[in-house]
């Protein structure tokens, strides 16, 4: 009455209640931000590293110019379905846009057992427990730049799952190649998607992610 407080709660108690409310609010915001971060993949413990090439590609016996490479299409599909950090592997010396010169370069690199330089190598993958390695299949195996990538990192104890886009070769020799270039890693089930079906591969990708335990 008359502006005089009728609250007889002790001041110390009021301060405790207020502090508790503030802490709860801050904790709630932190949890909310953490949940959002996890959904965005910023706190993910899954790394998806992929190499993809746009430009002129093989397509059902002919050629088609792609604005986005088939492997990138599949990688982005995976990125929409699970929390993961995406890293695109790019060659320091980009591959030719035209199909035939690209094939010729790949043949030279395979014969020389080359390790093409990567433009932006990852310094460490310590925070990840699972690594998804995506690439096309060129002449029955992943491009040699994938060996550059795997040999440049410590994959001991990591679970490694390959996924590929291909014309007829499936996973090619990726499982054997990664077993050799990732000593101490735990090999996991791979996924092979025909390049011409990359845009419609969501059901196959989702089923694979469930089988390997990355999606409920």
């Amino acid at each position: 009455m008359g502006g005089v407080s009728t609250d007889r709660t002790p001041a110390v108690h009021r301060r405790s209640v207020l502090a508790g409310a503030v802490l709860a609010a801050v904790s709630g915001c932190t949890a909310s931000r953490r949940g959002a971060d996890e959904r965005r993949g910023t706190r993910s413990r899954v790394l998806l590293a992929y190499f993809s090439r746009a430009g002129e590609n093989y397509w059902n016996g002919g050629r088609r110019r792609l604005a986005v490479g088939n492997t990138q299409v599949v990688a982005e599909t995976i990125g929409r379905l699970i929390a993961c950090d995406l890293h695109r592997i790019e060659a320091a010396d980009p591959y030719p846009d035209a199909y035939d010169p690209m094939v010729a370069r790949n043949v030279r690199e395979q014969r020389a057992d080359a390790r093409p330089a990567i433009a932006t190598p990852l310094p460490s993958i310590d925070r990840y427990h699972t690594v998804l390695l995506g690439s096309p299949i060129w002449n029955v195996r992943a491009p040699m730049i994938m060996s550059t990538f795997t040999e440049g990192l410590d994959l001991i104890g990591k679970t490694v799952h390959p996924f590929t886009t291909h014309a007829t070769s499936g996973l090619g020799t990726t499982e054997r190649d990664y077993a050799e270039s990732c000593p101490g890693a735990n090999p996991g089930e791979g996924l092979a998607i025909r390049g011409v079906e990359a845009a419609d591969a969501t059901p196959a990708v989702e089923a694979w992610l469930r089988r390997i335990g990355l999606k409920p």
Side-chain angles (χ1 to χ4, degrees):
M1 297 187 302
V4 178
S5 173
T6 59
D7 183 0
R8 299 183 182 277
T9 304
V12 172
H13 179 64
R14 286 201 303 273
R15 286 196 297 270
S16 298
V17 170
L18 179 60
V22 171
L23 179 60
V26 171
S27 298
C29 290
T30 301
S32 176
R33 285 196 300 271
R34 184 183 301 121
D37 285 345
E38 287 172 350
R39 286 191 294 276
R40 287 194 301 268
T42 55
R43 294 176 60 87
S44 170
R45 298 195 65 196
V46 178
L47 172 66
L48 190 165
Y50 71 96
F51 171 80
S52 187
R53 177 186 164 278
E56 189 180 36
N57 272 249
Y58 178 89
W59 196 270
N60 280 334
R63 305 286 186 272
R64 176 178 288 187
R65 186 166 297 279
L66 303 178
V68 178
N70 293 321
T71 305
Q72 182 176 344
V73 171
V74 176
E76 290 176 351
T77 298
I78 295 170
R80 288 193 297 270
L81 292 171
I82 63 170
C84 62
D85 292 340
L86 271 69
H87 174 74
R88 181 167 181 171
I89 301 166
E90 298 191 67
D93 177 15
Y95 286 86
D97 181 76
Y99 181 76
D100 290 337
M102 180 278 295
V103 169
R105 173 173 164 178
N106 178 64
V107 169
R108 291 194 301 271
E109 290 178 346
Q110 285 188 349
R111 288 176 176 170
D113 196 26
R115 296 295 183 268
I118 293 174
T120 53
L122 281 177
S124 170
I125 57 168
D126 289 349
R127 66 186 297 262
Y128 301 105
H129 60 66
T130 300
V131 180
L132 309 180
L133 294 176
S135 74
I137 292 295
W138 291 350
N139 193 25
V140 195
R141 65 164 296 163
M144 300 306 295
I145 197 168
M146 296 303 293
S147 294
T148 308
F149 181 79
T150 54
E151 291 173 2
L153 295 169
D154 180 4
L155 287 153
I156 294 174
K158 314 293 184 185
T159 299
V160 175
H161 295 277
F163 70 91
T164 65
T165 55
H166 67 98
T168 59
S169 300
L171 287 166
T173 62
T174 54
E175 292 169 308
R176 182 189 69 199
D177 295 337
Y178 293 149
E180 293 176 357
S181 65
C182 308
N186 303 313
E189 178 185 345
L191 172 70
I193 300 291
R194 290 190 69 225
V196 295
E197 298 171 353
D200 302 312
T202 297
V205 171
E206 198 163 11
W208 174 64
L209 291 171
R210 287 198 174 98
R211 289 197 304 274
I212 64 177
L214 294 183
K215 186 173 175 59

